[in-house]
Amino acid sequence: MASKEVPRPKEYAETGFSTVQPTLKQHLDNATAALLFKNFDACIEHCENGLSQVKLCTDRENFSSKEFTEQLCVLAVQAHAERNTWQEVLPFVRKVYGDIEHSPAAIVQLCLLLFAKLQDYPQCQALANIWLRNRDNYTDAEYPHIVDIYVQRVMFPWKLHSLVPAFLDTCLGLDATQRQLMMQDYAVVIEKEIKTSTDEDDDKSPLPVKRLPISESDEGESEGVWAYIRRLSALLFRRIQPYNLTAILSVAFIILAFLSLRFNKGNYFHLITPSFTNTYIVIKFDIS
């Protein structure tokens, strides 16, 4: 008895394409709705599932995988930014496009705006340099817009106004007319910033020198001399034997000679030194 062939379902007549496309559209709609209702985890999940579905349709006719991929990636980047997982943005973009330089302008714009808001200007610089230096992007209609975003959102806040003309010269995707028009737009801001910086430098005055308070007896005397006397006295007292009264008296006379230059309001000087009996010796000198 011959076996009867079981017909395949109609939706699989074209290797699954007729069922994949509605599912992909559904993921896109669900991701958009999830982002609007601030369900960011669900949005990213729908985007990832949708991107996996796009790979099944890349070789089909009348299907724009680039359009679906870009829309899903934009939604995912926005969801990452909203839930503050910005560190996952670049790995996600690289997973989808392989590298930043091959990413659509819309994705690069979002990344620049995101990292500019975080004030991560070095990251913005790296992204802009990679994308703007790629020859394949020179003819992109959004090329001037990427340049404008970088100048206004990164270079100006980063106080790099003076470097704008040189930066525009490195953007080979701009023609001479575009560079000239951009410089005309930026000229007012650049001139204002340079003038402000110059005025601030002129207003800066050297900090006043703060003098240490000195007593009446300190006036006219060198602090360096007295610091040397203190160090000399400490050194002598450390080296002499505590029971050697003669040495102690010698040090006392040395100190007294210097003190006679410092204090001269009375006729007597009193010097207190430790003795070998653990008491104190008061030495009185008459200099009148």
Side-chain angles (χ1 to χ4, degrees):
M1 180 176 178
S3 60
K4 184 178 180 180
E5 183 179 359
V6 179
R8 297 181 60 189
K10 183 178 180 181
E11 59 267 23
Y12 287 96
E14 298 183 5
T15 65
F17 176 70
S18 60
T19 59
V20 170
Q21 190 171 16
T23 304
L24 179 57
K25 181 65 167 58
Q26 185 178 4
H27 281 307
L28 183 60
D29 293 339
N30 291 339
T32 304
L35 182 65
L36 292 176
F37 287 101
K38 298 184 178 181
N39 192 348
F40 306 124
D41 293 337
C43 177
I44 294 174
E45 183 178 355
H46 284 300
C47 290
E48 291 178 343
N49 292 335
L51 289 169
S52 64
Q53 295 288 341
V54 169
K55 297 178 180 179
L56 301 176
C57 311
T58 53
D59 57 346
R60 307 306 302 177
E61 296 180 358
N62 301 323
F63 174 75
S64 177
S65 61
K66 180 180 178 180
E67 180 181 354
F68 275 102
T69 301
E70 182 176 335
Q71 292 177 359
L72 290 169
C73 192
V74 166
L75 291 172
V77 170
Q78 291 177 328
H80 277 298
E82 291 290 346
R83 74 172 188 175
N84 201 28
T85 53
W86 52 267
Q87 66 278 4
E88 299 181 24
V89 169
L90 292 183
F92 179 84
V93 173
R94 291 191 180 100
K95 181 180 178 181
V96 176
Y97 290 102
D99 204 344
I100 295 296
E101 64 187 49
H102 301 123
S103 304
I107 304 300
V108 177
Q109 290 177 27
L110 281 178
C111 292
L112 286 176
L113 293 173
L114 170 61
F115 288 104
K117 183 177 181 180
L118 297 170
Q119 297 184 351
D120 190 350
Y121 300 133
Q123 185 68 267
C124 293
Q125 183 183 40
L127 293 174
N129 285 334
I130 291 173
W131 196 88
L132 293 173
R133 302 299 181 270
N134 185 12
R135 293 180 179 273
D136 295 336
N137 298 324
Y138 288 173
T139 56
D140 194 306
E142 292 297 317
Y143 190 97
H145 189 47
I146 297 293
V147 174
D148 184 64
I149 289 178
Y150 180 73
V151 171
Q152 298 204 45
R153 299 299 183 94
V154 179
M155 297 191 73
F156 284 172
W158 207 2
K159 304 298 182 182
L160 300 178
H161 298 74
S162 60
L163 301 181
V164 171
F167 169 72
L168 293 181
D169 289 338
T170 64
C171 298
L172 302 182
L174 299 175
D175 56 34
T177 303
Q178 289 173 325
R179 292 193 188 95
Q180 183 179 2
L181 292 176
M182 283 186 169
M183 277 305 304
Q184 291 177 358
D185 294 337
Y186 303 147
V188 176
V189 179
I190 295 174
E191 183 180 358
K192 182 179 179 180
E193 176 61 26
I194 293 177
K195 185 178 184 301
T196 301
S197 300
T198 303
D199 293 341
E200 290 178 355
D201 293 338
D202 294 340
D203 292 340
K204 290 181 180 178
S205 58
L207 295 176
V209 178
K210 183 178 181 180
R211 297 186 58 187
L212 295 176
I214 57 176
S215 61
E216 181 181 354
S217 60
D218 289 336
E219 295 179 355
E221 297 175 357
S222 173
E223 179 62 22
V225 174
W226 288 106
Y228 174 78
I229 294 172
R230 288 194 296 269
R231 291 196 299 270
L232 177 62
S233 303
L235 178 63
L236 291 174
F237 271 111
R238 285 198 301 269
R239 291 189 175 183
I240 64 175
Q241 298 294 331
Y243 51 81
N244 191 338
L245 182 60
T246 302
I248 295 176
L249 292 177
S250 299
V251 174
F253 277 111
I254 294 174
I255 297 175
L256 179 64
F258 286 108
L259 290 177
S260 64
L261 300 175
R262 185 178 178 88
F263 303 103
N264 55 6
K265 294 184 179 181
N267 295 327
Y268 296 95
F269 291 101
H270 296 80
L271 181 65
I272 303 177
T273 61
S275 71
F276 62 93
T277 58
N278 293 328
T279 59
Y280 291 91
I281 300 175
V282 179
I283 305 175
K284 183 177 181 181
F285 299 92
D286 187 355
I287 62 171
S288 59

